[in-house]
């Protein structure tokens, strides 16, 4: 059963620990970047009830994010930098935790039901941007510092594992 948005912090941490262990096991020996992204998106989306859209945008040119593997309804196919929460995360190379998307002036409404969002940049150990992880929720204030900490760790591990991926 997926973890509910109102679960206690300790339950969130425990759920993330289980998800990270599964991801680590599933990606053991995997050398395909897209397969890894798909696996991570599926694991995260299935584990948290408040993750209504979970996926990746890949940097394909210095100013363009293109949708990658995801779970949930249709997403925006292309996002020009620095547009939206994804563009802000990619441009600043910092996680964007948006409690209420109505308060984020540049928010791109790929889904009318989205109320909060967290976007984590995928940065290689040498600080090269590969893309972003984007998670949307239909609940205002769904994401916490625990989500940010754990998603950043997952993205850091993923980026280090696939630091050889070529992009612009």
């Amino acid at each position: 059963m997926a973890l509910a948005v109102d679960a206690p912090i300790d339950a969130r941490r425990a759920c993330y620990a289980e998800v990270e262990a599964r991801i680590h096991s599933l990606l053991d020996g995997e050398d395909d970047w897209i397969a890894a992204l798909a696996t991570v998106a599926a694991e995260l989306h299935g584990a948290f009830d408040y993750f209504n859209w979970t996926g990746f945008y890949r940097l394909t040119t210095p100013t363009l994010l293109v949708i990658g593997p995801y779970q949930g309804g249709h997403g925006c196919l292309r996002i020009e930098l620095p547009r939206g929460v994804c563009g802000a995360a990619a441009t600043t190379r910092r996680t964007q935790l948006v409690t209420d998307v109505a308060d984020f002036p540049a928010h791109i409404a790929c889904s009318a039901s989205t109320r909060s969002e967290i976007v984590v940049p995928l940065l290689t150990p040498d600080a090269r941007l590969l893309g972003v992880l984007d998670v949307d929720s239909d609940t205002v204030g769904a994401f916490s510092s625990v989500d940010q900490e754990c998603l950043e760790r997952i993205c850091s591990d993923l980026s280090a594992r696939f630091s050889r991926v070529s992009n612009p």
Side-chain angles (χ1 to χ4, degrees), residues 5-90:
V5 70
D6 59 355
I9 294 298
D10 290 344
R12 278 192 195 205
R13 284 193 189 284
C15 188
Y16 273 110
E18 291 172 11
V19 169
E20 287 180 68
R22 282 195 309 271
I23 289 170
H24 209 334
S25 177
L26 288 165
L27 296 185
D28 185 37
E30 182 55 60
D31 64 358
D32 186 276
W33 167 241
I34 301 300
L37 295 178
T39 299
V40 171
E43 284 297 316
L44 288 170
H45 193 76
F48 299 93
D49 191 45
Y50 55 100
F51 283 31
N52 298 107
W53 193 94
T54 311
F56 292 92
Y57 284 91
R58 300 167 297 114
L59 187 70
T60 60
T61 74
T63 60
L64 182 66
L65 293 167
V66 176
I67 199 165
Y70 68 92
Q71 300 279 312
H74 291 288
C76 295
L77 299 180
R78 295 170 183 271
I79 300 173
E80 294 280 344
L81 300 186
R83 291 188 63 228
V85 181
C86 290

Side-chain angles (χ1 to χ4, degrees), residues 125-139:
D126 63 352
R128 192 167 45 89
L129 181 69
L130 300 176
V132 298
L133 167 65
D134 180 16
V135 184
D136 297 352
S137 179
D138 294 347
T139 304

Side-chain angles (χ1 to χ4, degrees), residues 70-142:
Y70 68 92
Q71 300 279 312
H74 291 288
C76 295
L77 299 180
R78 295 170 183 271
I79 300 173
E80 294 280 344
L81 300 186
R83 291 188 63 228
V85 181
C86 290
T91 302
T92 64
R93 295 172 183 242
R94 293 179 162 295
T95 298
Q96 302 292 306
L97 195 161
V98 180
T99 302
D100 186 343
V101 297
D103 295 334
F104 192 89
H107 179 254
I108 301 169
C110 296
S111 169
S113 64
T114 297
R115 295 292 172 252
S116 60
E117 186 169 2
I118 186 168
V119 181
V120 181
L122 295 164
L123 297 169
T124 63
D126 63 352
R128 192 167 45 89
L129 181 69
L130 300 176
V132 298
L133 167 65
D134 180 16
V135 184
D136 297 352
S137 179
D138 294 347
T139 304
V140 170

Side-chain angles (χ1 to χ4, degrees), residues 137-152:
S137 179
D138 294 347
T139 304
V140 170
F143 305 108
S144 71
S145 61
V146 171
D147 295 290
Q148 180 171 344
E149 171 192 324
C150 295
L151 292 173
E152 285 177 345

